Amino acid sequence: MSFFSRMASRLQPSTPEEVVLCIKDSFLPLPLPTKTGAGALEEVEKNISSLRKVLTGDGEAGANQEQVLQIALEICKEGVLSLFVQNLPSLGWGKVDENYCCVKYIEDHTELLDFLVGCYKKSDLAQNCGIMVRECVKHPTLAKYILESDSFELFFEYVELPNFDIASDALSTFKDLLTKHETVVSVFLSSHYEQFFERYTRILTSSNYVTRRQSVKFLSEFLLEASNSKIMKRYIQEVRFLNIMIGLLKDSSKNIRICAFHVFKVFVANPNKPRGIIEALRDNRRELLKLLHGLPASKGEDELDEERDMIIQKIENL
């Protein structure tokens, strides 16, 4: 769109594309000194007012949901969210009020969250949408919705996407969903334990090296968080998960083997090991000792060496 066409569209923006482009263009001169910036800020506020009308309706009729989704798509495509964030100090909005309104609107239109999560399938929108989803995840009600929706299952596919940048971005969002709100996550995993770890096991054993490494690293951190102790105690009761860790101790990657060890050691150190775990450790005793003696350690990792020696001793004493 030419400069003059954009200027014309600013006079009366009507379509989602025009509204978003007007907002983007009016943000570009900011930040400016107080006197010269007054006009620019006025232009921004005018265009944001147009955006509000599209999102909330005209007072007589509600918002057009197709237009709302198109607005979200255009905001992602044009990178407008980052402009909002960068210029919040210039806008001088009441942070709490504006934030509350945004969250409340999304709570009432959760299809927007499903739409944003689905945009990970669009390579040109994925990372901008990822930023928006992570902003939403900061709020417990929105995080809870995503965790309990069908959209959450998509993350197990996204972290294996061949595009490294998109897969990594999806993993960042996935981590936020599972770490930002302890109570929400605890309730979710208590009621979805089997389904969650069945899917998580698939990415732990993925043929994609990056997926395998990042997923075992996150698991080693997640289970050892004090807030996740109940989940950890349940996890280390199961032989199937012990066998997954034994398999990862054989991985060709040093990093994967070390992360797997940090989960494996909890199975061994558990003073209340169930019979199945004890038998599995005994049956694999010789191989496990060989794997542990060959566990690589880098300089300065004395703690890892001490933990490895302790686990070796416990297995030898079985």
Side-chain angles (χ1 to χ4, degrees):
M1 184 183 290
S2 70
F3 171 78
F4 292 104
S5 297
R6 290 189 185 183
M7 288 298 294
S9 70
R10 285 179 185 172
L11 297 177
Q12 193 173 4
S14 55
T15 69
E17 294 90 343
E18 290 173 346
V19 170
V20 173
L21 281 174
C22 286
I23 292 173
K24 180 180 180 180
D25 286 351
S26 59
F27 264 127
L28 294 180
L30 298 177
L32 292 171
T34 304
K35 291 182 179 180
T36 54
L41 284 172
E42 184 179 343
E43 184 74 10
V44 170
E45 290 289 354
K46 183 177 73 175
N47 290 326
I48 291 175
S49 177
S50 298
L51 175 62
R52 287 196 184 101
K53 288 179 182 177
V54 176
L55 294 178
T56 61
D58 58 8
E60 297 180 1
N64 181 314
Q65 292 306 305
E66 185 177 339
Q67 281 194 326
V68 170
L69 290 176
Q70 186 63 33
I71 283 281
L73 188 67
E74 292 298 321
I75 285 174
C76 293
K77 186 170 74 174
E78 298 294 336
V80 170
L81 181 67
S82 61
L83 292 174
F84 270 104
V85 174
Q86 292 167 17
N87 289 285
L88 280 175
S90 298
L91 293 172
W93 290 344
K95 183 177 180 181
V96 175
D97 292 340
E98 290 291 337
N99 193 45
Y100 172 79
C101 291
C102 290
V103 173
K104 185 67 174 66
Y105 183 84
I106 297 173
E107 285 177 347
D108 294 338
H109 300 83
T110 50
E111 67 276 7
L112 289 173
L113 289 174
D114 295 319
F115 170 80
L116 289 173
V117 173
C119 281
Y120 270 112
K121 296 176 182 177
K122 305 176 185 293
S123 59
D124 57 331
L125 301 176
Q127 289 176 278
N128 280 332
C129 285
I131 293 171
M132 297 177 75
V133 175
R134 286 192 292 279
E135 283 298 311
C136 292
V137 167
K138 291 178 181 179
H139 304 279
T141 54
L142 303 184
K144 181 177 184 291
Y145 172 79
I146 296 176
L147 284 170
E148 295 180 348
S149 71
D150 292 339
S151 292
F152 181 62
E153 298 179 17
L154 295 173
F155 283 98
F156 293 95
E157 300 174 18
Y158 294 157
V159 297
E160 291 200 81
L161 290 171
N163 184 308
F164 174 79
D165 291 333
I166 295 176
S168 296
D169 192 279
L171 183 64
S172 294
T173 306
F174 182 81
K175 288 178 178 179
D176 280 4
L177 280 164
L178 292 169
T179 57
K180 290 292 182 184
H181 309 287
E182 295 176 3
T183 302
V184 170
V185 172
S186 177
V187 172
F188 167 74
L189 287 179
S190 294
S191 57
H192 297 79
Y193 177 88
E194 291 293 338
Q195 303 97 306
F196 175 81
F197 280 107
E198 179 183 346
R199 296 187 185 99
Y200 202 89
T201 295
R202 292 176 193 165
I203 61 175
L204 283 172
T205 56
S206 170
S207 59
N208 184 314
Y209 162 73
V210 175
T211 300
R212 209 162 61 250
R213 187 186 74 181
Q214 292 182 329
S215 60
V216 70
K217 183 177 186 297
F218 175 63
L219 182 66
S220 69
E221 297 166 349
F222 180 78
L223 290 179
L224 294 177
E225 285 290 331
S227 58
N228 300 320
S229 60
K230 288 184 179 179
I231 298 298
M232 181 267 287
K233 289 175 182 177
R234 186 173 176 181
Y235 189 87
I236 62 175
Q237 299 287 314
E238 303 200 47
V239 175
R240 56 179 173 150
F241 296 143
L242 171 62
N243 288 333
I244 293 295
M245 290 307 121
I246 292 175
L248 290 170
L249 284 172
K250 303 174 187 177
D251 200 277
S252 59
S253 164
K254 166 189 170 180
N255 289 327
I256 289 177
R257 295 201 301 276
I258 290 175
C259 289
F261 170 76
H262 287 305
V263 181
F264 172 79
K265 71 185 180 186
V266 187
F267 284 91
V268 180
N270 178 15
N272 300 309
K273 290 185 282 293
R275 179 177 294 274
I277 295 293
I278 294 173
E279 290 177 351
L281 292 172
R282 282 176 176 166
D283 291 344
N284 293 279
R285 180 175 178 274
R286 181 176 296 179
E287 183 179 28
L288 286 171
L289 291 173
K290 182 179 179 181
L291 289 170
L292 292 171
H293 280 294
L295 189 71
S298 302
K299 292 180 179 179
E301 293 186 7
D302 295 338
E303 184 178 350
L304 175 62
D305 291 338
E306 291 174 6
E307 290 180 344
R308 180 189 59 187
D309 293 343
M310 180 190 72
I311 296 301
I312 287 173
Q313 185 176 11
K314 284 185 176 294
I315 293 176
E316 287 176 339
N317 292 338
L318 286 173

